[in-house]
């Protein structure tokens, strides 16, 4: 149990790299689905960039939603 608390504390200190890693892992999981869903001869690079753009847009929407409805935290 002590090891779990150490891992959690490390994640709290290194928040940006952990978030970037999770975003890239999610991108790797979603890009094949985007590539399969787009008609035509889309390249793999295009599928990854479209997926990354969608994830960034979704993250920005969630952030702005939180900022608008809980402004006292910022």
């Amino acid at each position: 149990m002590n090891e779990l608390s150490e891992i959690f504390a490390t994640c709290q200190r290194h928040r940006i790299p952990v978030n970037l890693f999770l975003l890239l892992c999610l991108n790797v999981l979603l890009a094949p689905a985007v590539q399969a869903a787009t008609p035509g001869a889309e390249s793999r690079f295009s599928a990854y960039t479209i997926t990354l753009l969608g994830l960034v847009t979704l993250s920005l929407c969630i952030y702005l939603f939180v900022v608008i409805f809980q402004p006292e935290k910022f």
Side-chain angles (χ1 to χ4, degrees), residues 38-53:
T38 54
E42 292 290 326
S43 68
R44 183 173 290 196
F45 178 74
S46 296
Y48 280 103
T49 54
I50 290 170
T51 306
L52 186 61
L53 180 64

Side-chain angles (χ1 to χ4, degrees):
M1 191 68 174
N2 190 17
E3 297 156 357
L4 186 61
S5 63
E6 290 176 9
I7 292 172
F8 183 71
T10 303
C11 288
Q12 289 293 336
R13 282 182 279 171
H14 304 291
R15 192 171 208 156
I16 292 174
V18 170
N19 287 340
L20 286 175
F21 175 73
L22 292 175
L23 182 68
L24 289 174
C25 288
L26 190 60
N27 192 14
V28 167
L29 293 174
L30 292 178
V34 170
Q35 188 175 9
T38 54
E42 292 290 326
S43 68
R44 183 173 290 196
F45 178 74
S46 296
Y48 280 103
T49 54
I50 290 170
T51 306
L52 186 61
L53 180 64
L55 290 173
V56 168
T57 304
L58 181 66
S59 300
L60 186 61
C61 289
I62 292 170
Y63 172 74
L64 290 175
F65 182 79
V66 170
V67 167
I68 288 171
F69 288 105
Q70 296 177 345
E72 64 274 359
K73 286 189 175 183
F74 300 93

